[in-house]
Amino acid sequence: MAKYNITEKKEKEAAYRTLVSPKLMDDMKEKILNIIVMQKKYKDKDYSAKKLAEDLGTNTRYISAVVNVRFHMNYTSFVNKFRIEEAMTILVDKRYQDLKMEEVSDMVGFANRQSFYASFYKIMNMTPREYRLQHLKQHPSLVRKKSK
């Protein structure tokens, strides 16, 4: 059985995706990126596709269509990608070396440690702890000496 119970999803074609014009998709893509990435809404555990749709004055079907077509993933995977990228930075930052995984998970917007580990493993094919240890082995100068 696969680690963290990750299963491959089958591609299915949703009819409504073809109903959104390419220009509208491009406009929505930029607006989505602005809100999720630039405004760092990915850090908000409660920021759902529904709230994003409300902020953009549209519905979740359009959000879903744009994210699926333009980013080739679903909304949750899209948001988690930015959370994991930030977690990777935090995990190797000397200033955050003493943080527990739950604290890192919370900082980047995951609701719980399990979803953090599952998402991290899905993207990086290793656990957050393994990632941190591997990075520190490659860069021993980043290991902060424990003060007495």
Side-chain angles (χ1 to χ4, degrees):
M1 190 167 111
K3 199 169 187 177
Y4 296 109
N5 203 19
I6 297 170
T7 56
E8 289 297 316
K9 296 227 166 126
K10 291 174 180 54
E11 279 294 313
K12 56 183 183 259
E13 198 56 48
Y16 63 87
R17 289 182 194 159
T18 57
L19 300 175
V20 183
S21 76
K23 178 165 181 6
L24 181 61
M25 282 233 182
D26 290 339
D27 291 346
M28 291 281 283
K29 175 185 173 183
E30 292 308 314
K31 290 176 182 175
I32 290 169
L33 283 170
N34 177 44
I35 291 174
I36 299 296
V37 183
M38 303 309 283
Q39 296 177 29
K40 297 192 181 225
K41 289 290 187 180
Y42 64 86
K43 287 182 165 190
D44 183 349
K45 293 172 183 50
D46 301 317
Y47 199 75
S48 63
K50 187 173 194 250
K51 286 186 181 173
L52 176 60
E54 287 169 10
D55 289 349
L56 293 175
T58 187
N59 63 48
T60 55
R61 281 236 159 152
Y62 277 133
I63 299 297
S64 178
V66 173
V67 172
N68 274 277
V69 173
R70 291 296 188 245
F71 301 106
H72 309 289
M73 58 184 85
N74 65 29
Y75 178 79
T76 304
S77 297
F78 174 70
V79 172
N80 285 348
K81 177 178 161 278
F82 296 107
R83 290 173 174 166
I84 297 303
E85 286 172 3
E86 178 140 350
M88 288 165 59
T89 304
I90 291 169
L91 288 168
V92 298
D93 191 319
K94 203 173 187 176
R95 297 169 296 180
Y96 302 115
Q97 204 174 330
D98 297 330
L99 285 182
K100 293 183 176 84
M101 288 304 155
E102 287 83 1
E103 294 168 314
V104 174
S105 168
D106 192 55
M107 281 174 76
V108 298
F110 282 96
N112 59 59
R113 191 178 69 101
Q114 288 76 14
S115 58
F116 172 54
Y117 265 74
S119 294
F120 198 98
Y121 194 87
K122 185 177 180 183
I123 292 171
M124 297 303 298
N125 210 24
M126 66 175 75
T127 67
R129 186 174 185 281
E130 289 167 342
Y131 178 80
R132 179 186 262 170
L133 292 172
Q134 183 181 66
H135 189 83
L136 292 175
K137 268 188 212 157
Q138 291 170 349
H139 305 280
S141 62
L142 295 177
V143 178
R144 193 176 67 224
K145 306 287 182 260
K146 300 250 185 214
S147 54
K148 293 180 183 178

